[in-house]
Amino acid sequence: MAAPDTRTQLLDAAEHLFAERGYRGTSIRAVTERAGANLAAVGYHFGSKAELLGAVVRRVLEPINAAQSAGLDRLLARTPDPAVSDLVEAFAGPLFDEMPAGDEGGARTSRLIVTILGDPAEEVRAWTGPAEATARDRFLAAFARALPGLPPEELRFRLRGVLTVTAMDRADAYQQHPVDCQPPAAASDAARRWAITFLAAAMSAPPTT
């Protein structure tokens, strides 16, 4: 098997470091040293540290976004107005699929998402790519039809909450031993069911007055 090219090595190194240290805590020097590349490599391949972050996040999230969109397509093929619980399953389910309990890569993905959501650095706000934006906007439109009394900003807040709760659970699941010696797959299935029930109820709550 051929060794990863420099660009891939930089992405791999940056993904680890951004997940562990956040944006401000990760230096270009640290990325290039971990990747075994020269200091100018980030500028050559990505242009800046902020653009490197965007490339890392898009690489991680685009498969999730594709699965979310495919799930929504299947729902809409059955009915133009899916139930809230089905929409939550279509949105959150791929996060569980891509971040299974006990999987180091999945744990890193979840930590990266949590870091992005909570990082105060201004550059982090620009991470969103077109695939993420398209998937989010399609789900917002579907949830708006299912929850017509919910103001748009509160709906956006709740959808961010679905992402945050799921990512936090997946990050925590990697650190915990399965309950009653359950294998990781069984633990993930149980957590997925609990999350869908909880998050569907949260999304369906009356508007805040």
Side-chain angles (χ1 to χ4, degrees):
M1 181 182 296
D5 59 24
T6 300
R7 188 177 190 278
T8 300
Q9 290 175 321
L10 290 168
L11 287 169
D12 291 344
E15 182 179 326
H16 279 83
L17 293 170
F18 284 137
E20 293 171 2
R21 306 179 185 179
Y23 181 79
R24 289 177 176 163
T26 299
S27 67
I28 289 177
R29 181 177 296 278
V31 172
T32 54
E33 286 180 351
R34 185 180 182 114
N38 65 62
L39 195 58
V42 168
Y44 176 78
H45 288 281
F46 302 99
S48 68
K49 188 172 81 166
E51 290 168 344
L52 172 61
L53 172 68
V56 167
V57 176
R58 286 190 293 274
R59 187 178 70 157
V60 167
L61 290 190
E62 282 179 358
I64 296 174
N65 297 150
Q68 289 172 327
S69 292
L72 183 57
D73 287 340
R74 289 191 293 271
L75 284 180
L76 294 176
R78 297 201 301 264
T79 174
D81 297 305
V84 171
S85 59
D86 291 334
L87 290 170
V88 171
E89 169 71 34
F91 185 83
L95 294 164
F96 281 89
D97 295 337
E98 292 292 328
M99 298 184 286
D103 179 73
E104 182 179 354
R108 188 166 58 250
T109 296
S110 62
R111 289 196 302 270
L112 183 63
I113 293 172
V114 171
T115 296
I116 289 166
L117 291 170
D119 197 312
E122 182 178 348
E123 296 88 344
V124 178
R125 304 279 70 80
W127 68 271
T128 304
E132 191 278 336
T134 298
R136 178 201 60 211
D137 289 347
R138 292 187 68 209
F139 273 95
L140 284 170
F143 275 115
R145 291 193 298 272
L147 301 165
L150 200 63
E153 286 306 310
E154 187 165 2
L155 177 57
R156 287 177 179 272
F157 173 85
R158 293 186 185 187
L159 194 61
R160 285 197 302 273
V162 173
L163 177 61
T164 304
V165 167
T166 306
M168 288 290 291
D169 172 77
R170 297 295 80 203
D172 182 66
Y174 182 72
Q175 306 296 330
Q176 304 298 323
H177 295 293
V179 178
D180 296 329
C181 298
Q182 284 183 309
S188 286
D189 288 344
R192 182 176 183 150
R193 294 193 302 272
W194 299 335
I196 299 306
T197 299
F198 169 72
L199 294 168
M203 289 295 294
S204 301
T208 303
T209 57

